[in-house]
Amino acid sequence: MNNAKPALHSVKSAFFSVFLPGDDVLKIISLWLIALLLPGIECHANQWAMVTKPAQIDATAQSIGAYNAGCLSGAVSLPPNGAGYQVMRLSRNRVYGHPDLKQFIESLGQATAAQGLGVLLVGDMGQARGGPTLSGHRSHQTGLDVDIWFLLSKQAENHILSFNERETWNASSVLADGSDNIDYAQWSSANEQVLEAAARMPEVDRIFVNPSVKRELCKRKTAHDWLRKIRPWWKHDDHFHVRLKCPAGNKQCVAQEPLPSGDGCDAGLAWWFSAEAKQPAIKKPVPDKAPELPALCDAVLRE
């Protein structure tokens, strides 16, 4: 769910995107060699990362499987620039999603621009055929997830960001000095308005934010009905993660469990600030194999 800062995986992506443009065979060979050299990269995820073009195995786009164990047929790519948004980290090539996701981002960008709130900086969507990624996410596999920075760039309103700017700008945390307190130099009512606009779109299932952001929203004196979709989760202090519902007609798409009733401004939210919630997670052993994907994903990968 995170927007990773420039690191080894970004350098790797830039290498095969910049130095090996347009040649899928060389890109595949390059990724295969890198996978041999870098520790901790699962071969299973590498197969999906090597594929750079969408596949279509049905008449319509299909999100297949679960958000954290699935794939995507009929993906579309989001243009790098549009009304009210610009895409960051182009070297990662995670600009693909279900057509519903592309339409959602474009609609949210247009709403943001119309209200003069700034420009949305869009982080990771998914890979060309979905599936597990080499880094950064456990979800984002079915073309229904997108990360959007909290930073609403006024600078980006005035010009198209360069490739270098998109690779080197950092998503600013909205927390003060790593605490649980909101940094009001980084957070404003515009952020709240963007989240409300996103949450009120019927295709949105839920939006993950840092617990402190959720707590800030719960202080509102106005309507709380949309807050049900705003879900607290670890990190997510520099971006919010939007997850769409399974699209109509996508029978192989596995929906997440329904949201609990209410606005979420209750004891469940208080837990996120408890000592239990803040305890470092016990390091789990690395699994022997990647999560099993639906059988239909084999056809998507082979197409």
Side-chain angles (χ1 to χ4, degrees), residues 18 47 108 182 203 209 223 244 276 296:
V18 176
Q47 292 177 322
L108 185 62
I182 294 293
E203 65 269 32
V209 300
L244 300 191
E276 180 184 8
L296 195 54

Side-chain angles (χ1 to χ4, degrees), residues 2-267:
N2 293 335
N3 255 313
K5 306 299 186 291
L8 185 58
H9 59 263
S10 293
V11 174
K12 174 195 69 182
S13 297
F15 171 78
F16 70 78
S17 291
V18 176
F19 291 97
L20 296 174
D23 193 324
D24 288 341
V25 174
L26 287 178
K27 288 181 182 180
I28 290 172
I29 294 173
S30 171
L31 272 174
W32 179 76
L33 290 173
I34 291 170
L36 292 178
L37 295 173
L38 296 179
I41 296 179
E42 294 188 22
C43 179
H44 187 61
N46 190 46
Q47 292 177 322
W48 293 92
M50 284 192 290
V51 179
T52 59
K53 296 178 181 178
Q56 184 95 31
I57 63 169
D58 198 276
T60 59
Q62 295 290 317
S63 293
I64 302 165
Y67 296 97
N68 62 352
C71 61
L72 174 63
S73 167
V76 293
S77 62
L78 181 71
N81 308 300
Y85 79 85
Q86 294 193 43
V87 180
M88 308 299 283
R89 304 293 191 265
L90 294 175
S91 67
R92 293 162 70 88
N93 199 34
R94 296 178 183 173
V95 296
Y96 295 92
H98 190 281
D100 283 10
L101 184 63
K102 176 177 179 287
Q103 183 176 8
F104 161 77
I105 297 169
E106 291 173 336
S107 297
L108 185 62
Q110 290 164 9
T112 300
Q115 296 179 60
L117 302 177
V119 171
L120 299 176
L121 300 181
V122 179
D124 280 359
M125 295 169 62
Q127 299 176 138
R129 303 185 190 184
T133 62
L134 291 171
S135 59
H137 306 285
R138 285 188 297 175
S139 59
H140 289 250
Q141 295 194 31
T142 58
L144 299 174
D145 295 277
V146 61
D147 291 336
I148 301 176
W149 294 14
F150 281 124
L151 175 62
L152 290 165
S153 175
K154 292 294 184 179
Q155 183 178 347
E157 282 184 320
N158 301 319
H159 81 289
I160 300 298
L161 299 180
S162 68
F163 180 86
N164 184 61
E165 287 173 321
R166 296 172 197 253
E167 295 298 307
T168 58
W169 277 20
N170 285 330
S172 301
S173 173
V174 297
L175 301 184
D177 300 321
S179 69
D180 289 331
N181 300 317
I182 294 293
D183 180 357
Y184 293 104
Q186 301 294 338
W187 175 267
S188 72
S189 61
N191 297 110
E192 182 177 309
Q193 291 176 66
V194 170
L195 286 172
E196 180 172 1
R200 289 194 181 281
M201 293 186 179
E203 65 269 32
V204 171
D205 184 64
R206 63 197 70 199
I207 301 173
F208 299 101
V209 300
N210 184 272
S212 293
V213 171
K214 172 73 175 187
R215 182 172 64 182
E216 180 70 16
L217 296 173
C218 287
K219 297 177 182 178
R220 288 169 49 95
K221 303 298 185 182
T222 54
H224 276 211
D225 56 315
W226 59 275
L227 289 182
R228 182 186 181 201
K229 290 186 180 180
I230 306 295
R231 311 309 301 174
W233 200 251
W234 287 280
K235 299 184 179 180
H236 290 81
D237 57 300
D238 59 6
H239 73 281
F240 59 99
H241 173 169
V242 180
R243 173 166 293 166
L244 300 191
K245 300 173 182 176
C246 283
N250 283 215
K251 297 181 180 180
Q252 302 299 320
C253 181
V254 179
Q256 199 165 348
E257 69 280 358
L259 293 171
S261 59
D263 61 10
C265 301
D266 50 20

Side-chain angles (χ1 to χ4, degrees), residues 276-294:
E276 180 184 8
K278 293 180 179 298
Q279 286 179 346
I282 299 175
K283 189 173 182 181
K284 297 181 180 179
V286 178
D288 294 332
K289 60 180 182 179
E292 186 175 349
L293 303 184

